[in-house]
Amino acid sequence: MKAKTYLEPQTQLPIYDECEILVVGGGSAGHSAAVAAARAGCKNIILLERYGYCGGDVTGGYVLLIPSLSFHEMTYVRGLQEEWFTRLSKIPGAVAGPGPELAGRTEPELLAKYGALGGATMVPPARICHGFMLDPTQLKIEMDLMLAEHGDAIRVLYHSWGTRPIMEGSTCKGVIFESKEGRKAILAKVVIDATGDADLCRLSGAPTSSAIDDECRCSSTALVYRIGGISVSAYNSWTRANPDKAKALSAELAELHGFRSGLFPGSTDDIGWVNNWQPKRDCSTTRDLTDTELGTRLKLRQVLACYQKHCPEVFGKAFLYDIAPQTGVRGSHRIVGEHVIGSNDWAFPLEHPDTIAWHCTVDTLNDNAPIEIPYRSILPQRVDNLLAPGRHISADRIAIDNVNLIPQCVGTGQAAGVAAAVAVADGTTAHTVDVAKVQDILAAEQDVPLPRNVHTDPAYMECLVAHEYGLYTDAAKRARAAHDAAGTYRHWTISGGSGTNHQ
């Protein structure tokens, strides 16, 4: 049956504003891009965000875990991501987890203290990994403060949804957006698509692909909620002491929800956050987003009663603390960039001349070592003056599960902001920007360690070499053998995955 159509009348759109850099999406990638561009010297930036706050999946979807920032004793993920930790550490109850000074430590008491907070690796022998849990409300405020500190350079437009790129041939010249004021346009010299689903890239003529093609982590959605009036540490003790009761609780919860879920610690012990994995859903479709929301909320009262029935000693006074204000999304469409990240990037590992970030990956059997993320992975093909950092970066269907977590979104967003600022200052384009200059600003001025850069301490590379980083090294083989012997190795797959993967 032929679909009905409606011919939209041609109209003239008012130019709402003009800028040098337009960032569409205020999630962890877009917020980082705007702040980094301002710190790199650009004074004419607009940040568009469809909600009334920044942070996206972190503050709105309650992805409260920031994992895998270090490798052995060195912290490779720094820059704006580390700034989150240092800023939130000054606020009581805003963050919990081991600081970078504890990275690589193996004392049992530290592993016991921080292991449940994203602060210990699974790779035998266990060791502390710098990572943290955060409070989403406090991060919302802190992100606003970071933007306000650059109020002379960044204009924030909340409740504004970027809907279509303005193209002249293969060059992006701006974006059409919708708001309570109607449909308008913003012109820009460089546009950063930080929508998370490559919304602008898909309409620009740039090639994209879909992550919704298997049962991997990216092919699932979530609606996270939090339970108060409990002690998460007491619940963890109960599960260890009562494995049969805990198994029965998990089975009934899975039957109620219809999908896998898990209760994890947050930044304070008295509130637990319940993450979930709803398989084979596409977060770029209205139907799947709606089903995720309704299918979760309609069961929450029964879910809380289930916790109270099976574990009254912990949940006797429990209550539903809150529900995430936006759907938890892990991936849908992603760009096909000038470089497509694949398993070879961490297996050997690959060195890139245009590396813009060093990021640890999760569950890849390379001893959790960082891989190099190149500038080309945020650079769409066939179009210019359009950058695409964040969870939709260029990676294949397997690699994307390991390179679109919050730290990678922050890191690629920060690099995109600097690249856009350099392109504007030098009169170049996103494709012709001086990447070496971008790297020097990141490493020398924005606290981002980069391989083979004169502004980066050689100890970072020495640490990698000393610990035989790479998937096919002897260290990785020993790690795999230890996992197999202990039965602790897990994949990201939704149907058979474990509860150890918080995101």
Side-chain angles (χ1 to χ4, degrees):
M1 183 177 181
K2 187 176 180 180
K4 293 182 179 181
T5 61
Y6 168 73
L7 183 61
E8 184 177 10
Q10 185 176 7
T11 184
Q12 288 187 326
L13 297 182
I15 302 299
Y16 181 88
D17 207 342
E18 298 185 44
C19 61
E20 293 178 324
I21 299 173
L22 173 60
V23 183
V24 182
S28 52
H31 179 273
S32 298
V35 172
R39 293 182 182 179
C42 185
K43 294 296 184 182
N44 191 1
I45 305 161
I46 292 177
L47 174 61
L48 279 181
E49 167 54 41
R50 61 174 169 163
Y51 295 110
Y53 53 84
C54 278
D57 280 343
V58 188
T59 58
Y62 287 8
V63 180
L64 308 184
L65 170 67
I66 311 299
S68 303
L69 306 180
S70 65
F71 176 66
H72 289 270
E73 71 276 11
M74 303 294 293
T75 296
Y76 289 78
V77 184
R78 297 191 58 84
L80 289 172
Q81 184 67 95
E82 182 63 16
E83 187 173 327
W84 286 14
F85 181 76
T86 56
R87 293 174 77 115
L88 291 174
S89 295
K90 300 172 184 177
I91 304 165
V95 67
E101 73 281 359
L102 297 178
R105 299 275 291 272
T106 58
E107 293 92 323
E109 61 272 19
L110 290 177
L111 295 173
K113 179 179 181 180
Y114 292 117
L117 297 170
T121 70
M122 294 172 57
V123 179
R127 62 181 183 270
I128 290 293
C129 182
H130 178 35
F132 56 93
M133 313 292 289
L134 57 80
D135 178 80
T137 301
Q138 292 293 351
L139 183 60
K140 279 183 185 177
I141 298 171
E142 207 62 35
M143 286 182 143
D144 282 345
L145 287 171
M146 293 170 75
L147 295 173
E149 290 165 5
H150 299 284
D152 62 330
I154 304 172
R155 303 192 294 288
V156 181
L157 296 179
Y158 284 149
H159 303 287
S160 301
W161 192 319
T163 58
R164 180 174 291 275
I166 299 171
M167 302 297 298
E168 287 188 7
S170 61
T171 301
C172 185
K173 293 291 188 177
V175 167
I176 296 169
F177 74 103
E178 303 270 1
S179 74
K180 285 288 189 179
E181 298 179 32
R183 194 178 185 196
K184 299 183 180 182
I186 296 176
L187 303 181
K189 294 181 179 178
V190 179
V191 173
I192 296 177
D193 181 347
T195 62
D197 298 303
D199 291 344
L200 301 178
C201 291
R202 279 186 284 157
L203 298 172
S204 71
T208 60
S209 61
S210 173
I212 311 303
D213 55 8
D214 51 35
E215 293 185 339
C216 288
R217 167 185 154 274
C218 271
S219 300
S220 67
T221 57
L223 183 64
V224 177
Y225 52 94
R226 294 193 290 177
I227 297 175
I230 65 172
S231 166
V232 179
S233 59
Y235 173 65
N236 290 335
S237 297
W238 178 85
T239 59
R240 289 191 295 269
N242 302 276
D244 291 338
K245 291 181 179 179
K247 185 177 180 180
L249 169 60
S250 295
E252 187 168 336
L253 288 172
E255 185 176 355
L256 273 174
H257 266 318
F259 46 79
R260 184 168 62 90
S261 66
L263 188 149
F264 302 101
S267 58
T268 59
D269 186 60
D270 58 339
I271 300 173
W273 65 290
V274 184
N275 202 351
N276 48 83
W277 296 263
Q278 304 186 30
K280 297 183 179 179
R281 284 191 169 159
D282 183 346
C283 65
S284 66
T285 67
T286 304
R287 184 71 268 160
D288 281 358
L289 288 171
T290 302
D291 288 346
T292 299
E293 297 268 355
L294 291 177
T296 307
R297 285 197 297 268
L298 288 172
K299 299 291 183 64
L300 286 188
R301 290 170 181 162
Q302 295 169 263
V303 166
L304 184 58
C306 180
Y307 275 110
Q308 292 168 332
K309 179 182 75 172
H310 285 271
C311 185
E313 50 265 70
V314 175
F315 293 90
K317 297 182 179 180
F319 58 90
L320 183 62
Y321 184 80
D322 61 4
I323 305 170
Q326 65 186 74
T327 314
V329 292
R330 296 181 170 99
S332 62
H333 301 274
R334 59 192 185 274
I335 68 166
V336 178
E338 297 293 352
H339 173 80
V340 179
I341 297 173
S343 57
N344 284 346
D345 284 76
W346 58 74
F348 296 108
L350 295 184
E351 295 183 354
H352 299 287
D354 59 338
T355 295
I356 51 170
W358 237 334
H359 277 278
C360 297
T361 55
V362 181
D363 207 23
T364 58
L365 289 182
N366 71 337
D367 198 20
N368 202 46
I371 68 165
E372 298 183 18
I373 297 181
Y375 176 71
R376 286 164 295 147
S377 68
I378 66 170
L379 190 63
Q381 297 180 14
R382 301 180 192 168
V383 300
D384 208 351
N385 283 344
L386 185 61
L387 290 169
R391 73 169 189 264
H392 54 218
I393 67 171
S394 178
D396 67 26
R397 57 186 288 271
I398 301 300
I400 192 64
D401 268 353
N402 288 285
V403 293
N404 72 349
L405 306 182
I406 300 302
Q408 291 93 350
C409 291
V410 173
T412 55
Q414 183 170 3
V418 172
V422 170
V424 167
D426 291 353
T428 56
T429 71
H431 271 77
T432 62
V433 68
D434 187 341
V435 177
K437 185 181 291 187
V438 174
Q439 292 170 319
D440 285 344
I441 292 173
L442 287 167
E445 301 175 18
Q446 298 203 6
D447 191 31
V448 177
L450 293 175
R452 301 171 298 281
N453 187 279
V454 295
H455 303 289
T456 296
D457 187 341
Y460 283 95
M461 183 58 73
E462 292 166 3
C463 176
L464 291 175
V465 173
H467 294 291
E468 300 180 313
Y469 70 120
L471 182 63
Y472 298 130
T473 64
D474 289 338
K477 292 175 183 177
R478 289 193 297 270
R480 177 58 187 265
H483 273 309
D484 289 343
T488 54
Y489 177 63
R490 297 291 186 269
H491 294 281
W492 277 114
T493 52
I494 301 304
S495 58
S498 76
T500 57
N501 299 312
H502 302 304
Q503 291 187 310

